[in-house]
Amino acid sequence: MEFEISTIREQAPQPAKAALFSSGLTRFRTKAFVAIVPITVTFMLGMWGIRRQNSMWGDESVTYQLAHRDLTQIWRTAQHVDLVHAFYYAIMHEIYGLAGGGLLTLRLPSVLAMSAAAAGVGLLGLRLAGPHAGLLAGLVFPLVPQIQQYTQEGRSYAMVCALVTWATYALVACVVSHTRWRWTAYGSTMLLACLLHEFAVFALAAHGITLLVSGVPRPALRAWSVTVACIVVGLLPLAIRSSGESGQVSWIAWPDPVQFLGFLAMVTVGMRCARRPMNARGPIQLPALALPILVLPGLLLFLLSPVKPLFVDRYVLYSSIGFALLLGAGIDRFHRRQLSSRTSLVAALAVLAALLPPSLYLRTPQSRHDDVIAIGNALRHAGRPGDGLLYLPGRHRVWTGATPEDTRFLTDLALVQDPTSSNTLAGIELPAQDIPARILKFSRIVAVRDPEGAHSDTNSQEEAKTRTLKRYFRECGTTRVTGARITVYVRKVALCREDDQRLAVVERSKKELRTEASSPPIWHARRAEGTAPRSTASRGRPCRRGIP
């Protein structure tokens, strides 16, 4: 009997251990669910129409071209232009070295980064307001049109958003458990975000406001201050060197009305959600974290506009983190208070229906400023071997740099040194006084121009090009594509008539092909007689070529 009693006593603590293990497993499963569902949704939305009908816009073309240069060339180019993106170009260079490929490789890193950001948003919501709010925040995040847009772009903004998200998560963990390695993780992640894009530094200001409002202990504030000082020291060399390239953002005028109204709408909705009481879990409340990161970065860019216009929504894309957290928690609270689930379902379906048109539009070439693959195709069809080629202005040479085969048989009239050998984006052009003589050696010239109404560069070289074309050439047809015009100029009227005749022949051939395609009985009769013509699949059809 004594043996049996002692055995029972030894086994008594087991149920408590089992309950503890079960509780830990449940928490792990909850975290996994809240992270995996947003990852899956974001990845699926990112892969949906990722090629955008085989199109690429100008900034992505720059990424593609520089990523295919070696690291030494990237560094040398960054000394003249795009130093703020040099770290991103180096990352993409390594990715292309490992994976190769074209458009998919260009955009897939952004899809994966934004998927990681969605998981971080979900876990932040779980930690601050519970599993339902976390799951809803993680699902709201990838549905934001702005997030959908940059999930499918070969630029650094998705990576910056992911790093800021996880740095924010690390900050919350640092406040809960004050350890050195957690602060090191926070500082390292934020420094990487700032090196990818300098305006990620505004997230540090938002984090500081969060800590002050939340009333965290002084040791945590002191540790955060030391970490921020280290980040600033690490970022300072890049900030000083890149300030000399401020001309690259000279195209930014007063804040774009559409972007600014979108920012105001997000802030309004976020503040409306923050006014409602939410579940508080831990020393930092969700509104205290989400509102500063939603409002402060965009507000600082806007306040800088009178001095230096810099308000562009993608520069502070990570502010959508705060919007998703607030809206997710607000939806959770609304659902809890709503007696009928039918109303919640109808509201969710209405929101999804409203988001469908912009989601479809964002996956078309027209959703971006320009389409360099369409420009290259138009050049290839308009130009003939031996024609001259002019870029008006010369910076548009980046439009065709990603697909050089489209201009292989054309002579770039103003170019004296190509972009790769000159470590630039658009190459080096001839002096203004030498350009007219070069142009006059050609009787037929294809020009790449800005769309109607767009602002064009005005310098001596561009004036020399425009003046010579206007004086000695006549316009002989213009092809308009997304973000550009391809115009043919000729010296003699007869050459223009030849172009018109050639176009008429092409159009007549297309019409005949359509007629044949609409007459299946005749086609089948010819096949039965064994006299069917050869396939016309490769003749006379316009094709849309591009990077594989």
Side-chain angles (χ1 to χ4, degrees):
M1 179 65 68
E2 292 179 0
F3 175 77
E4 291 178 357
I5 293 174
S6 64
T7 303
I8 293 172
R9 288 175 179 173
E10 289 177 0
Q11 293 178 349
Q14 293 301 319
K17 291 182 180 179
L20 184 61
F21 177 77
S22 177
S23 175
L25 185 60
T26 302
R27 285 197 299 269
F28 174 78
R29 287 175 177 172
T30 302
K31 286 185 177 180
F33 184 77
V34 170
I36 290 173
V37 172
I39 286 176
T40 305
V41 172
T42 307
F43 184 79
M44 291 175 63
L45 287 174
M47 296 304 294
W48 169 34
I50 190 171
R51 288 183 173 274
R52 286 204 306 274
Q53 302 174 24
N54 201 32
S55 65
M56 177 195 297
W57 82 290
D59 282 7
E60 289 183 307
S61 177
V62 173
T63 299
Y64 184 86
Q65 294 173 59
L66 287 182
H68 281 81
R69 300 183 187 181
D70 60 43
L71 293 177
T72 303
Q73 290 175 321
I74 292 174
W75 175 247
R76 290 174 179 170
T77 303
Q79 305 308 303
H80 308 290
V81 64
D82 256 4
L83 181 61
V84 292
H85 297 298
F87 185 38
Y88 172 69
Y89 296 145
I91 293 174
M92 291 303 298
H93 169 82
E94 297 301 326
I95 291 174
Y96 269 111
L98 292 173
L103 284 175
L104 186 60
T105 306
L106 178 68
R107 293 172 183 151
L108 187 57
S110 293
V111 175
L112 297 176
M114 206 64 87
S115 300
V121 170
L123 292 175
L124 267 172
L126 167 65
R127 188 152 196 165
L128 298 176
H132 293 93
L135 180 61
L136 288 167
L139 292 175
V140 165
F141 180 75
L143 294 177
V144 176
Q146 188 183 26
I147 295 298
Q148 290 191 53
Q149 177 177 351
Y150 295 105
T151 299
Q152 293 186 331
E153 282 205 1
R155 299 297 283 174
S156 64
Y157 309 111
M159 292 185 183
V160 173
C161 190
L163 289 169
V164 171
T165 302
W166 284 99
T168 306
Y169 186 85
L171 177 68
V172 175
C174 287
V175 173
V176 174
S177 179
H178 183 63
T179 58
R180 181 174 297 179
W181 74 268
R182 291 179 186 271
W183 284 110
T184 302
Y186 167 75
S188 302
T189 308
M190 275 306 306
L191 179 59
L192 286 176
C194 293
L195 291 176
L196 278 172
H197 200 281
E198 292 176 12
F199 288 158
V201 74
F202 292 142
L204 290 174
H207 291 165
I209 297 295
T210 295
L211 296 179
L212 290 174
V213 170
S214 300
V216 299
R218 286 189 177 181
L221 282 175
R222 191 179 305 113
W224 177 81
S225 302
V226 172
T227 305
V228 169
C230 294
I231 294 171
V232 171
V233 169
L235 183 63
L236 199 58
L238 176 63
I240 294 173
R241 291 292 298 272
S242 62
S243 62
E245 298 179 358
S246 58
Q248 279 194 266
V249 292
S250 59
W251 58 270
I252 304 175
W254 193 251
D256 180 84
V258 175
Q259 293 187 7
F260 185 66
L261 288 175
F263 170 70
L264 282 182
M266 292 176 66
V267 170
T268 302
V269 173
M271 295 185 71
R272 179 84 176 176
C273 293
R275 291 174 60 186
R276 306 297 180 184
M278 299 180 183
N279 295 329
R281 297 164 63 102
I284 296 180
Q285 295 187 7
L286 189 143
L289 178 80
L291 268 179
I293 204 166
L294 169 62
V295 177
L296 195 60
L299 180 62
L300 291 175
L301 280 184
F302 178 74
L303 293 177
L304 287 173
S305 295
V307 180
K308 179 67 177 176
L310 290 171
F311 186 89
V312 181
D313 58 357
R314 61 179 179 268
Y315 291 170
V316 289
L317 181 65
Y318 54 85
S319 61
S320 299
I321 301 166
F323 175 75
L325 288 170
L326 289 166
L327 187 56
I331 294 173
D332 177 43
R333 183 179 179 276
F334 173 80
H335 180 70
R336 289 175 182 275
R337 293 188 62 183
Q338 194 69 29
L339 298 178
S340 173
S341 60
R342 182 178 300 177
T343 305
S344 300
L345 179 61
V346 171
L349 292 176
V351 171
L352 291 176
L355 287 173
L356 184 58
S359 298
L360 292 172
Y361 175 71
L362 288 172
R363 287 158 178 83
T364 64
Q366 293 74 27
S367 63
R368 270 58 173 187
H369 297 301
D370 46 53
D371 181 0
V372 300
I373 295 179
I375 293 169
N377 286 335
L379 268 174
R380 181 167 46 83
H381 287 102
R384 301 176 185 174
D387 284 353
L389 174 63
L390 276 180
Y391 294 91
L392 301 170
R395 59 183 170 84
H396 289 333
R397 196 169 280 106
V398 299
W399 281 349
T400 58
T403 55
E405 64 274 8
D406 291 327
T407 58
R408 183 181 304 168
F409 301 109
L410 305 178
T411 302
D412 195 333
L413 300 181
L415 187 67
V416 67
Q417 192 174 5
D418 66 88
T420 302
S421 63
S422 62
N423 295 313
T424 60
L425 295 180
I428 297 176
E429 295 195 335
L430 290 167
Q433 62 270 20
D434 297 336
I435 289 178
R438 186 80 182 277
I439 293 176
L440 292 175
K441 292 180 180 179
F442 289 77
S443 58
R444 191 174 188 275
I445 293 173
V446 183
V448 182
R449 305 162 63 196
D450 281 311
E452 292 92 341
H455 171 74
S456 296
D457 297 343
T458 54
N459 55 42
S460 58
Q461 292 162 306
E462 303 307 327
E463 290 174 358
K465 297 175 194 176
T466 305
R467 185 171 58 249
T468 306
L469 288 175
K470 186 176 182 180
R471 183 174 181 181
Y472 296 102
F473 290 78
R474 63 161 294 185
E475 186 175 329
C476 184
T478 296
T479 302
R480 290 169 176 81
V481 294
T482 303
R485 289 177 292 169
I486 310 300
T487 302
V488 176
Y489 291 91
V490 296
R491 294 282 296 274
K492 300 177 182 178
V493 178
L495 293 175
C496 192
R497 290 173 182 169
E498 290 177 9
D499 275 4
D500 292 339
Q501 293 172 359
R502 186 167 65 93
L503 288 174
V505 171
V506 171
E507 291 298 326
R508 188 163 55 251
S509 299
K510 292 179 180 179
K511 186 177 181 180
E512 292 173 356
L513 288 172
R514 286 193 294 267
T515 303
E516 289 182 7
S518 62
S519 306
I522 298 175
W523 170 256
H524 289 302
R526 289 181 179 177
R527 290 187 60 186
E529 297 171 2
T531 59
R534 291 188 302 170
S535 172
T536 59
S538 60
R539 294 194 292 112
R541 290 188 181 178
C543 61
R544 185 176 181 84
R545 296 174 61 253
I547 297 169

